[in-house]
Amino acid sequence: MHKTKVAIVGLGTVGAGVAKILLDHGDRTARNAGTTLWLEKAVVRDLSRARDCELPDGVLTDDLSEVTGDPEIKVVAQLIGGIEPARTIMLQLLESGKDIVTANKALIAEHGAELFARARELGRSIAFDAAVAGGIPIITNLSQCLTANQVSSLSGILNGTSNFIASAMEEQEASYKWAVKEAQRLGYAEADPTMDVDGTDAAQKLAILAHIAFGIKIDWKKIPREGIDKLLPVDIRFAKELGYRIKLLASAQLSDDGLELHVSPSLIRAGEPLAEVRGPFNAINVEGDQVGPLFYYGQGAGQKPTASAVVADMIDMAVGRTALTFRTLKLFTENHSDVQMCSPDKIRGRHYFRFSVEDRPGVLAEIARALGEEGISIASVIQHEPENFDGDTKSYTPLVIMTHTATQGQAARALEVISKMPTVKPGARKMLVQD
Amino acid sequence: MHKTKVAIVGLGTVGAGVAKILLDHGDRTARNAGTTLWLEKAVVRDLSRARDCELPDGVLTDDLSEVTGDPEIKVVAQLIGGIEPARTIMLQLLESGKDIVTANKALIAEHGAELFARARELGRSIAFDAAVAGGIPIITNLSQCLTANQVSSLSGILNGTSNFIASAMEEQEASYKWAVKEAQRLGYAEADPTMDVDGTDAAQKLAILAHIAFGIKIDWKKIPREGIDKLLPVDIRFAKELGYRIKLLASAQLSDDGLELHVSPSLIRAGEPLAEVRGPFNAINVEGDQVGPLFYYGQGAGQKPTASAVVADMIDMAVGRTALTFRTLKLFTENHSDVQMCSPDKIRGRHYFRFSVEDRPGVLAEIARALGEEGISIASVIQHEPENFDGDTKSYTPLVIMTHTATQGQAARALEVISKMPTVKPGARKMLVQD
């Protein structure tokens, strides 16, 4: 059978997973690629480090030029994380004539335009289905399977670490701190989980998906984002009482005002597919004008699911599909539509407010009036006996208000007014409700 | 922009949906195809019949040779149902040099081998993502996105008509007859729904999916199948009491014994994603050795979802991806693996038995002994006060037994023995339980 030489750059968790598939399941990849994917080189920084895979003699190297200098190596899985040296290596690989598969969403979100333009100039391709939602092939589905649709809505759980933490807080009635430690212990969170829990990772992924689904080039930093790092057990408990679960939701909704994007903890009604996504799993809802609602669910990270996506992309390259798709879709080089991001102020939805108020008469009336003055009407209220949920020694009562539909702007202005009331303790919480 | 001439043969519900996308959303398809998909001809049998779409002058014709005779028409959506004349027209189209998109699963399941071999001889391609699960792009996902995996399990709700009927029976506590009428009234069932409700449609779809996922060529008629047409409200009620819902499940499981395939009403634990699929929706669980579990959910039929899949395939053809995939995968021309179907006798699982027994002492002991003699152990039993659930005037008691794991063979033999007992009324029911 015909042989296509391939290489891996970066032999961490995902790189080792890719090597294992290529080495252990060559018959499988050959059958689907029509050519044997021959692992010629695996480039690492430190040859002495222990690896999670065994390589044949002569494959492991710390010299990138053994890849860039070998014109027979056609396809490279570039699996180094972070921005540099990943970006420079990517450009070197492109310039030496390689087609590149990557799982590096930060790099695509930050330098996609530069890298894709360079690839195009050089007649090369980049594939990146592993960069978003791990094993869920959402990139291929959006760019190839849903091409007859105008996508109107895309929302999902794109960060498995945050989802694991939020699920653990709910299931174990635990604090955020405990849940983070548990996630770290089980390998679902890194030593420094900041990028995962503060919404950065989900915003970068959302920017990539929105570019493909809506044809709009977005700087991920402009997406309003909030993580789960300020989530309190009290909110999870109230959400549950109201029949909801709290999930870190990445959302893109198209309306007459434009494209509304945000990443934030949101209340999703229990029983809805997205609400039932537990632990490190990812899930995505897509709504198209032809196909209607579609729901995808699978593992968003981990060695094998991510390697599954990387190797599928390598097979696509060997078959020749990637080159055609890359040439046709012109991703990251231009806007494909007139869609503009709309101001978050205009985003409409229901809102969850949780205040901590002094336990005395008239406070609820005052808050209700402030909401009314912003034109926000109240759907439901929960006020229980006073409780001490945040260690304060004074007697405060948690007050939860669910509103009918209002804009983010209205909700933000009302929150500002209410937060200044002397009877309301600092640290009020506002979240979007997905119905 | 470059123009690719296309045609539609058959302008029923789906054909009209395809025409509408091509005519109303040409900018969208052009952007994704890199060429304008120009609807040159739409061939129908009866020109006088009212259509669900408006066509430009000169497009509608009842003469197939206006398509076969025009070498500029490259891609044809062949959207006639049934076997003949669909098969003959398909061959004529291939011989006149067309690439073909079809939604006709019966034709693919019955004559896939012949049609694909002919297409290959002629250097043409056939695409058929619309043939299974409507808007869920499961064919592309299996043949392109999951190529790094050995699929070990594939199960799903592939017939929306049956699912609508089973859902309606559960939600309305209604009879099968009532639910069929309701499905017909709402357009979810045809005047003669036999092929949907007896499991034929789901078995044909399962044969296609299993061929792609497991590389095995299967005569769909050999798949053990049972429909929902004998489902009684009493079984739905007992399933609910036990925490399950009944769904028509199409299932393919790979084990050391081989590939086990069946279509049958099955008990699925409430809360599981498949159990919560209501109305005319479809859903599919896939398990791969790399990706782990993946779940897809969407509309399995209807004008727009099916047209979405057809037009995506037409775009794939225009881009050139289909030709590469078709050439590489060699579908329906050979077995791609040594996998063999295994005898249904060997299928292991839990079983639900519902008997109608005479209300007198010793009957349960007798039945339990018969199960024990087949090596089947009982997990739980429900026996209520006598009730008349099937119009019989004698006093019978429904007796429901859930077993631990046993083979289909064991369960079938036990059922045969028990059914012959004079204290047991004919019409006992056995179903698989999915845990």
Side-chain angles (χ1 to χ4, degrees):
Chain A
M1 186 177 246
H2 180 256
K3 199 164 94 175
T4 299
K5 288 189 183 175
V6 304
I8 299 171
V9 177
L11 213 54
T13 307
V14 176
V18 171
K20 283 193 252 187
I21 298 177
L22 295 176
L23 295 168
D24 300 346
H25 302 294
D27 50 338
R28 184 189 299 175
T29 51
R31 189 173 61 242
N32 289 315
T35 169
T36 298
L37 299 185
W38 182 266
L39 181 57
E40 183 75 10
K41 291 287 167 194
V43 186
V44 297
R45 201 166 41 185
D46 178 1
L47 286 172
S48 66
R49 216 171 117 189
R51 310 275 158 206
D52 184 16
C53 60
E54 278 185 47
L55 299 173
D57 284 348
V59 171
L60 196 69
T61 174
D62 59 358
D63 181 2
L64 185 68
S65 74
E66 290 191 27
V67 173
T68 52
D70 183 346
E72 286 191 15
I73 297 175
K74 302 291 184 197
V75 174
V76 178
Q78 203 281 74
L79 299 168
I80 305 175
I83 302 300
E84 284 296 354
R87 177 183 150 275
T88 304
I89 289 174
M90 194 106 158
L91 290 168
Q92 287 173 327
L93 289 168
L94 288 171
E95 274 149 23
S96 66
K98 315 304 180 198
D99 290 327
I100 302 177
V101 176
T102 183
N104 188 331
K105 99 239 109 204
L107 186 61
I108 299 283
E110 196 81 60
H111 296 288
E114 177 196 12
L115 294 169
F116 280 59
R118 193 74 188 112
R120 219 169 308 278
E121 282 167 20
L122 295 161
R124 301 269 55 91
S125 308
I126 300 171
F128 54 103
D129 209 330
V132 181
I136 305 176
I138 190 63
I139 304 286
T140 302
N141 273 267
L142 287 174
S143 57
Q144 215 184 105
C145 303
L146 301 180
T147 43
N149 289 267
Q150 171 64 55
V151 174
S152 58
S153 158
L154 189 155
S155 63
I157 294 168
L158 300 179
N159 184 273
T161 305
S162 294
N163 201 57
F164 179 89
I165 292 168
S167 298
M169 286 177 73
E170 186 194 328
E171 285 159 19
Q172 313 292 326
E173 302 188 0
S175 71
Y176 171 73
K177 264 193 174 169
W178 181 89
V180 168
K181 279 203 183 125
E182 184 67 3
Q184 285 167 331
R185 190 178 70 80
L186 295 170
Y188 293 132
E190 297 183 41
D192 176 5
T194 312
M195 305 272 275
D196 288 313
V197 299
D198 76 356
T200 298
D201 174 86
Q204 290 175 335
K205 290 169 176 167
L206 182 62
I208 295 172
L209 292 184
H211 176 62
I212 299 170
F214 301 98
I216 181 174
K217 244 165 76 182
I218 303 156
D219 178 355
W220 68 269
K221 292 183 206 76
K222 290 195 179 139
I223 298 177
R225 67 186 184 281
E226 196 183 331
I228 53 147
D229 43 356
K230 285 173 197 78
L231 211 53
L232 291 179
V234 65
D235 292 309
I236 290 176
R237 217 163 60 229
F238 275 115
K240 204 170 176 179
E241 191 174 336
L242 290 157
Y244 292 83
R245 301 190 204 288
I246 298 178
K247 298 285 172 190
L248 184 66
L249 207 67
S251 169
Q253 310 290 331
L254 191 64
S255 74
D256 292 342
D257 290 327
L259 186 66
E260 177 267 297
L261 295 155
H262 68 266
V263 171
S264 67
S266 305
L267 278 75
I268 308 177
R269 201 180 285 277
E272 286 296 310
L274 276 180
E276 303 308 320
V277 176
R278 305 301 179 94
F281 278 82
N282 278 196
I284 302 160
N285 261 328
V286 183
E287 178 101 25
D289 65 345
Q290 302 297 325
V291 78
L294 271 181
F295 179 70
Y296 298 88
Y297 169 89
Q299 294 189 64
Q303 180 176 69
K304 287 181 168 186
T306 312
S308 166
V310 170
V311 174
D313 274 349
M314 295 174 87
I315 290 172
D316 272 0
M317 282 188 171
V319 171
R321 283 186 293 255
T322 311
L324 296 173
T325 309
F326 195 76
R327 203 183 303 147
T328 311
L329 288 186
K330 302 189 180 66
L331 291 178
F332 294 102
T333 54
E334 55 187 42
N335 276 342
H336 306 294
S337 71
D338 304 328
V339 171
Q340 300 288 329
M341 262 180 85
C342 72
S343 151
D345 275 10
K346 291 194 171 173
I347 302 168
R348 294 182 64 77
R350 297 178 62 206
H351 299 269
Y352 162 100
F353 288 98
R354 190 255 309 141
F355 306 106
S356 185
V357 299
E358 268 185 48
D359 187 23
R360 62 177 183 75
V363 176
L364 176 56
E366 239 180 304
I367 290 174
R369 193 169 51 241
L371 289 169
E373 277 169 8
E374 268 300 336
I376 300 172
S377 77
I378 293 172
S380 61
V381 176
I382 302 183
Q383 184 170 348
H384 290 310
E385 297 292 308
E387 65 171 317
N388 179 342
F389 64 80
D390 54 2
D392 198 302
T393 51
K394 272 201 229 166
S395 172
Y396 283 97
T397 302
L399 169 69
V400 168
I401 295 178
M402 294 275 276
T403 75
H404 286 300
T405 303
T407 66
Q408 286 271 42
Q410 287 172 298
R413 285 189 296 273
L415 183 66
E416 206 187 324
V417 170
I418 296 167
S419 295
K420 283 180 188 154
M421 294 178 178
T423 50
V424 174
K425 214 173 133 174
R429 175 86 209 195
K430 177 172 77 67
M431 279 185 274
L432 268 173
V433 180
Q434 300 287 324
D435 279 301
Chain B
M1 188 179 245
H2 180 256
K3 198 163 92 172
T4 299
K5 288 189 183 174
V6 305
I8 299 171
V9 178
L11 213 55
T13 308
V14 176
V18 171
K20 283 194 251 188
I21 297 176
L22 295 175
L23 294 168
D24 300 346
H25 302 294
D27 51 337
R28 185 190 299 176
T29 51
R31 189 171 63 240
N32 290 315
T35 169
T36 298
L37 298 186
W38 183 265
L39 181 57
E40 183 75 11
K41 291 288 167 194
V43 187
V44 298
R45 202 165 41 184
D46 177 1
L47 285 172
S48 66
R49 215 171 118 188
R51 311 275 159 207
D52 183 16
C53 60
E54 278 186 49
L55 299 174
D57 285 348
V59 170
L60 197 69
T61 173
D62 60 358
D63 182 1
L64 186 68
S65 74
E66 290 190 27
V67 174
T68 52
D70 183 346
E72 284 192 14
I73 297 176
K74 302 292 185 196
V75 173
V76 178
Q78 202 281 76
L79 300 168
I80 306 175
I83 302 298
E84 285 294 354
R87 177 183 151 275
T88 304
I89 290 173
M90 195 106 158
L91 290 168
Q92 288 173 327
L93 289 167
L94 288 171
E95 274 149 23
S96 68
K98 315 304 180 195
D99 290 327
I100 302 178
V101 176
T102 182
N104 188 330
K105 99 237 109 204
L107 187 60
I108 299 283
E110 197 80 59
H111 296 287
E114 177 196 12
L115 295 168
F116 281 60
R118 193 74 188 115
R120 217 169 308 278
E121 281 167 21
L122 295 161
R124 302 269 55 90
S125 308
I126 300 172
F128 55 101
D129 209 330
V132 181
I136 304 176
I138 190 63
I139 304 286
T140 301
N141 273 268
L142 287 174
S143 57
Q144 216 185 105
C145 303
L146 301 180
T147 44
N149 289 266
Q150 172 63 57
V151 173
S152 59
S153 158
L154 190 155
S155 63
I157 294 168
L158 300 179
N159 184 273
T161 305
S162 293
N163 201 57
F164 178 90
I165 292 168
S167 299
M169 285 177 74
E170 185 194 329
E171 285 160 20
Q172 313 293 324
E173 302 187 359
S175 71
Y176 171 75
K177 264 192 175 170
W178 180 90
V180 169
K181 279 201 184 123
E182 184 66 4
Q184 285 167 330
R185 190 178 69 81
L186 295 170
Y188 293 132
E190 296 182 44
D192 175 5
T194 311
M195 305 272 275
D196 287 314
V197 299
D198 75 357
T200 298
D201 174 86
Q204 290 175 335
K205 289 169 177 167
L206 182 62
I208 295 172
L209 292 184
H211 177 61
I212 300 170
F214 301 97
I216 181 174
K217 245 166 74 185
I218 302 156
D219 178 355
W220 67 268
K221 292 183 205 76
K222 292 197 176 137
I223 298 177
R225 65 187 186 281
E226 195 182 334
I228 53 147
D229 43 356
K230 286 173 196 81
L231 212 53
L232 292 179
V234 64
D235 292 310
I236 290 175
R237 217 164 61 227
F238 275 115
K240 204 170 178 180
E241 191 175 332
L242 290 158
Y244 293 83
R245 300 190 205 290
I246 298 178
K247 299 285 173 188
L248 184 66
L249 208 66
S251 169
Q253 311 291 330
L254 192 62
S255 74
D256 292 342
D257 290 328
L259 186 66
E260 178 267 297
L261 295 154
H262 69 266
V263 171
S264 68
S266 307
L267 278 75
I268 308 177
R269 201 180 286 278
E272 286 297 308
L274 277 180
E276 303 308 319
V277 175
R278 304 301 179 98
F281 278 83
N282 278 197
I284 302 161
N285 261 329
V286 183
E287 177 101 26
D289 64 345
Q290 302 297 325
V291 78
L294 271 180
F295 179 70
Y296 299 89
Y297 170 89
Q299 294 188 64
Q303 182 175 66
K304 286 182 170 186
T306 312
S308 166
V310 169
V311 174
D313 273 349
M314 295 174 86
I315 290 172
D316 272 0
M317 281 188 170
V319 171
R321 284 185 292 253
T322 311
L324 296 173
T325 308
F326 195 78
R327 203 181 305 147
T328 311
L329 287 187
K330 302 189 180 65
L331 290 180
F332 293 102
T333 54
E334 54 186 42
N335 276 342
H336 306 294
S337 71
D338 304 327
V339 171
Q340 300 289 329
M341 262 180 86
C342 71
S343 152
D345 275 10
K346 290 193 173 173
I347 303 168
R348 294 181 64 77
R350 297 178 62 207
H351 300 269
Y352 162 101
F353 289 96
R354 190 254 309 140
F355 306 105
S356 186
V357 299
E358 269 187 47
D359 187 23
R360 62 177 183 77
V363 177
L364 176 56
E366 240 180 305
I367 290 174
R369 194 171 48 241
L371 289 168
E373 275 168 10
E374 267 300 337
I376 301 172
S377 76
I378 294 172
S380 60
V381 176
I382 303 182
Q383 184 171 346
H384 291 310
E385 297 292 309
E387 65 171 317
N388 180 343
F389 64 78
D390 54 4
D392 199 303
T393 50
K394 273 201 229 163
S395 172
Y396 284 97
T397 302
L399 169 68
V400 167
I401 295 178
M402 294 276 276
T403 74
H404 287 299
T405 303
T407 66
Q408 287 271 42
Q410 287 172 299
R413 284 188 297 272
L415 182 66
E416 207 187 320
V417 170
I418 296 167
S419 295
K420 282 179 189 155
M421 294 178 179
T423 49
V424 175
K425 214 174 133 173
R429 177 85 209 196
K430 177 173 76 68
M431 279 186 275
L432 268 173
V433 180
Q434 301 286 326
D435 278 302

